[in-house]
Amino acid sequence: MRSIWNGAISFGLVSIPIKLVNATENHAIHFRQIHLADGGRIRYRKVCELDEEEVSGGEIGKAYEDADGTMIPITDEDLAQLPLPTAKTIEIVAFVPADRIDPLQMDAAYYLSANGVPAAKPYTLLREALKRSNKVAVAKYALRGRERLGMLRVVDDVIAMHGLLWPDEIRAPEGAAPEGDVTVRDAELDLADALMDTLGEVDMDSLHDDYREAVEELIAAKASGEEVRPAESGEGGGGKVIDLIAALESSVRAARKSRGEEDADADNEGDGGEDEGDMAEVHPIKKTSSGASGKSSGKTSGSAAKTAKKTTHRTPTGKTVTRSGGSAAKKSAPKSTGTKKSTSTAKKSSGSGGSGASGGRSTAKKTTAKKSASSGGTAKKAASSRKRASA
């Protein structure tokens, strides 16, 4: 980080060379002024009011304007001759508890970095003394042409300095408080406490500037030529509060409901994952189907023949058509150990029929395949009977 000021901390008779570094940075998005007609940039020029001519920076000085409008020039040499003991020194004037500093006085923040190896020991001494005492140091320093007030405290292992406003720069809060006497009931305070507890705490590191991010997205969209869609407007909450108790109760319920919905969603997601896993378990379905197949394959040869009669018939053209029962035979066929043998036997027996009708042969084959689901022996008998019928 680049230092913006070099000097020393005056700690009694101890001098600690330090460098002043900005501890904060501004992330605000800055815009330029342009001419709407042609997009040209608008610039400010410094013009003298007397001769109306533009002047450069080297021709510009400082002056104090008196009450009557008279300009009193003040040069850098005039300011340099002023007695300013804190011109290059951060002079510690007192050590006080941190709660003695009003947050309204807080201004810019800086880090104080030890400047060089000789500064390490006294720098560490002051840092550890601040840690052990649980106090902060009040100091004076000069920056950018004026003397300022500061507060030194320890942040991690670094001494930080907060610029403070002078006490006379803090305005009194006159007229800011509500006018008249306002009474707050204990029930309202209890609900306010409940709302505070429900909202809970927040991780400060998680907070971010939503508006700046929206502006950056807008700029990126316009730069790439994309269509910019208007943001959805949220529900307005600027209505008048008629019943404070009701408003507080509604706020507490809304906060609890919001947290409850988040917890419920998380639980549902976890349950959903388990349900999907249970649905993926197809073993019970397989067991049921295999049991049904086993029962169908365990039928007697008589019932198989009866089923074959019901599911096959001869068309007017002489062809045999099977309308149902074929799929069951195919599924149960792999369960039978004698399926291949019975099939080959059926082929041989049907082939020995010579020039029998093709419809008879197909009928014999299909019937044999169905009968083989029960047992190999039954299939052979059925094939022989069909052989004689075709002959």
Side-chain angles (χ1 to χ4, degrees):
M1 292 184 287
R2 186 176 63 88
S3 63
I4 61 174
W5 184 88
N6 292 339
I9 300 175
S10 176
F11 179 30
L13 297 179
V14 178
S15 180
I16 310 171
I18 55 95
K19 295 185 292 184
L20 196 68
V21 179
N22 279 321
T24 61
E25 54 188 2
N26 186 0
H27 290 165
I29 298 176
H30 301 280
F31 297 101
R32 303 292 187 184
Q33 292 184 334
I34 61 171
H35 187 196
L36 293 177
D38 54 15
R41 182 175 170 186
I42 303 298
R43 296 180 180 271
Y44 291 99
R45 296 178 179 176
K46 298 178 180 180
V47 178
C48 177
E49 291 182 351
L50 298 179
D51 55 18
E52 296 184 354
E53 292 184 0
E54 184 178 355
V55 295
S56 62
E59 300 176 288
I60 299 175
K62 292 186 287 288
Y64 176 79
E65 185 177 2
D66 205 355
D68 59 358
T70 304
M71 294 294 178
I72 303 174
I74 302 295
T75 64
D76 293 337
E77 290 76 12
D78 295 334
L79 296 175
Q81 294 175 2
L82 294 176
L84 187 61
T86 57
K88 286 293 183 180
T89 304
I90 298 175
E91 181 182 354
I92 296 177
V93 296
F95 292 90
V96 299
D99 56 8
R100 288 276 303 276
I101 305 298
D102 192 339
L104 285 173
Q105 291 184 253
M106 294 288 187
D107 200 1
Y110 308 95
Y111 290 134
L112 303 182
S113 174
N115 191 2
V117 176
K121 182 64 178 289
Y123 182 96
T124 305
L125 173 64
L126 176 59
R127 183 191 67 196
E128 296 303 318
L130 289 172
K131 281 184 180 181
R132 190 168 70 172
S133 65
N134 291 324
K135 293 183 178 181
V136 297
V138 178
K140 290 182 178 181
Y141 67 101
L143 183 64
R144 299 186 179 98
R146 58 177 292 233
E147 189 173 55
R148 303 168 187 263
L149 191 64
M151 178 191 73
L152 277 63
R153 69 184 184 97
V154 178
V155 177
D156 295 335
D157 290 331
V158 178
I159 299 176
M161 182 174 69
H162 295 268
L164 300 179
L165 300 175
W166 296 99
D168 59 359
E169 294 179 320
I170 305 298
R171 300 173 59 185
E174 297 177 356
E179 297 181 358
D181 294 335
V182 180
T183 303
V184 179
R185 294 177 292 173
D186 291 339
E188 295 169 339
L189 284 174
D190 293 340
L191 284 172
D193 292 340
L195 179 58
M196 293 168 62
D197 294 338
T198 304
L199 293 176
E201 298 181 358
V202 65
D203 182 8
M204 297 299 292
D205 293 335
S206 66
L207 301 178
H208 58 278
D209 190 347
D210 294 326
Y211 179 77
R212 177 172 59 86
E213 292 180 357
V215 173
E216 291 174 348
E217 292 177 1
L218 171 65
I219 295 172
K222 285 211 164 192
S224 59
E226 298 178 2
E227 180 182 358
V228 180
R229 298 180 180 179
E232 297 180 359
S233 58
E235 297 180 358
K240 294 183 179 179
V241 177
I242 305 300
D243 188 347
L244 185 57
I245 290 289
L248 287 171
E249 289 176 346
S250 300
S251 300
V252 172
R253 283 196 301 269
R256 289 175 178 172
K257 182 180 178 181
S258 175
R259 290 198 168 194
E261 287 177 352
E262 293 175 0
D263 295 338
D265 292 341
D267 294 338
N268 290 338
E269 289 177 2
D271 294 339
E274 292 177 2
D275 291 343
E276 291 175 1
D278 292 341
M279 292 178 65
E281 293 289 339
V282 296
H283 300 293
I285 299 176
K286 288 184 177 180
K287 289 180 180 179
T288 303
S289 61
S290 62
S293 300
K295 289 181 180 181
S296 61
S297 61
K299 290 182 181 180
T300 60
S301 59
S303 61
K306 186 176 180 181
T307 303
K309 290 180 181 179
K310 288 182 179 180
T311 56
T312 59
H313 69 281
R314 189 179 299 276
T315 62
T317 57
K319 294 183 179 180
T320 303
V321 178
T322 302
R323 294 194 179 272
S324 62
S327 59
K330 290 180 181 179
K331 289 183 179 179
S332 59
K335 299 292 183 178
S336 175
T337 56
T339 303
K340 295 183 179 180
K341 295 180 180 180
S342 61
T343 304
S344 60
T345 305
K347 288 182 179 180
K348 290 180 180 181
S349 60
S350 60
S352 62
S355 59
S358 60
R361 288 197 299 270
S362 62
T363 302
K365 290 180 181 180
K366 291 180 179 178
T367 306
T368 303
K370 293 177 182 179
K371 291 181 178 181
S372 63
S374 302
S375 60
T378 306
K380 289 181 180 181
K381 293 179 180 180
S384 300
S385 62
R386 294 296 180 185
K387 171 188 170 184
R388 289 193 295 270
S390 60

